[in-house]
Amino acid sequence: NAGVTQTPKFQVLKTGQSMTLQCAQDMNHNSMYWYRQDPGMGLRLIYYSASEGTTDKGEVPNGYNVSRLNKREFSLRLESAAPSQTSVYFCASSGVAGLSSYNEQFFGPGTRLTVL
Amino acid sequence: SQKIEQNSEALNIQEGKTATLTCNYTNYSPAYLQWYRQDPGRGPVFLLLIRENEKEKRKERLKVTFDTTLKQSLFHITASQPADSATYLCALDDGGFQKLVFGTGTRLLVSP
């Protein structure tokens, strides 16, 4: 099993450009998440999807959109990138149907995004 | 306001000693708390989960305590090794199904 995979690993954008970060998991997890991690700020939740077909805003959703394409895939889109969106982006997944709601989250390797 | 606080200064200890990391929170009533390890350039990795009705949890050289009165969790690594050097994050549930709020993490450096 590959776990949680993310593409691309690195990306440089110019202000105003758009891009989509891809995430996929092969653990049959119901829930998926997008975080950003900035120095001194810790991990902050951007959007999450509790189950296939649903998405909800997290702590810092402005400037982002998401799509839960199917149970495996959860993408994050930046429509018009800004320098403030320079960060490391992590996708995570958790929760197998029928088990405890206290499941741990499994993280991908991250995407390092720089917006010039 | 809601806050999760971890010591932002790195913790330096010698190999073989016990490392103790602290996680304090305010204005949350978590049903559980989790600890993760993060190595440079990688995603966090889950270590331990402790529920609100559990005082202590152990896994090999790791021990976590959870005091809901003090609103504090302590994370201990006994017989620490240089390979334990990493950043350790605490996370607690945000009242939503499997939504977590993370602390900023404490960097642990174990010297030989």
Side-chain angles (χ1 to χ4, degrees):
Chain A
N1 288 349
V4 179
T5 57
Q6 292 183 236
T7 55
K9 286 188 167 48
F10 300 92
Q11 184 71 50
V12 179
L13 293 177
K14 294 181 180 177
T15 298
Q17 287 186 316
S18 62
M19 79 161 295
T20 299
L21 281 65
Q22 306 287 353
C23 174
Q25 53 92 7
D26 62 2
M27 295 172 283
N28 198 34
H29 284 165
N30 287 330
S31 302
M32 297 186 73
Y33 312 81
W34 276 105
Y35 295 91
R36 60 177 290 174
Q37 187 173 39
D38 303 289
M41 300 292 291
L43 283 161
R44 292 183 292 169
L45 184 64
I46 305 171
Y47 271 92
Y48 69 101
S49 171
S51 62
E52 185 179 356
T54 68
T55 61
D56 283 290
K57 296 178 181 178
E59 181 186 354
V60 289
N62 291 345
Y64 305 95
N65 285 301
V66 290
S67 295
R68 183 75 183 265
L69 305 169
N70 48 55
K71 192 170 186 178
R72 290 188 63 248
E73 298 171 290
F74 189 38
S75 62
L76 178 72
R77 182 160 179 84
L78 286 71
E79 289 292 351
S80 179
S84 60
Q85 294 178 305
T86 293
S87 187
V88 181
Y89 291 85
F90 288 101
C91 177
S93 69
S94 71
V96 179
L99 296 183
S100 165
S101 62
Y102 299 155
N103 298 108
E104 68 267 30
Q105 294 188 10
F106 293 79
F107 284 80
T111 294
R112 281 140 191 85
L113 175 67
T114 301
V115 183
L116 302 174
Chain B
S1 62
Q2 296 175 314
K3 276 197 304 187
I4 304 173
E5 292 183 332
Q6 294 185 257
N7 195 339
S8 58
E9 290 183 13
L11 177 63
N12 289 277
I13 64 168
Q14 274 196 312
E15 183 175 8
K17 302 291 187 185
T18 296
T20 299
L21 285 68
T22 304
C23 177
N24 295 298
Y25 59 92
T26 55
N27 294 326
Y28 285 103
S29 297
Y32 60 92
L33 188 145
Q34 300 182 6
W35 283 88
Y36 288 78
R37 168 184 174 141
Q38 186 173 23
D39 291 287
R42 309 192 75 159
V45 175
F46 171 79
L47 296 174
L48 278 170
L49 178 152
I50 186 166
R51 294 178 174 78
E52 61 178 335
N53 60 349
E54 297 175 318
K55 296 294 184 189
E56 182 179 298
K57 202 79 165 283
R58 291 175 185 262
K59 179 182 176 182
E60 296 172 353
R61 294 185 296 110
L62 308 180
K63 185 179 85 171
V64 172
T65 63
F66 192 11
D67 189 325
T68 55
T69 301
L70 290 179
K71 295 187 181 297
Q72 180 181 79
S73 175
L74 299 179
F75 177 80
H76 308 270
I77 305 176
T78 58
S80 59
Q81 303 166 0
D84 295 326
S85 298
T87 296
Y88 292 86
L89 310 171
C90 72
L92 47 84
D93 76 287
D94 190 21
F97 183 71
Q98 296 187 7
K99 274 178 58 182
L100 294 177
V101 179
F102 283 83
T104 54
T106 298
R107 188 172 173 213
L108 173 66
L109 298 170
V110 182
S111 54

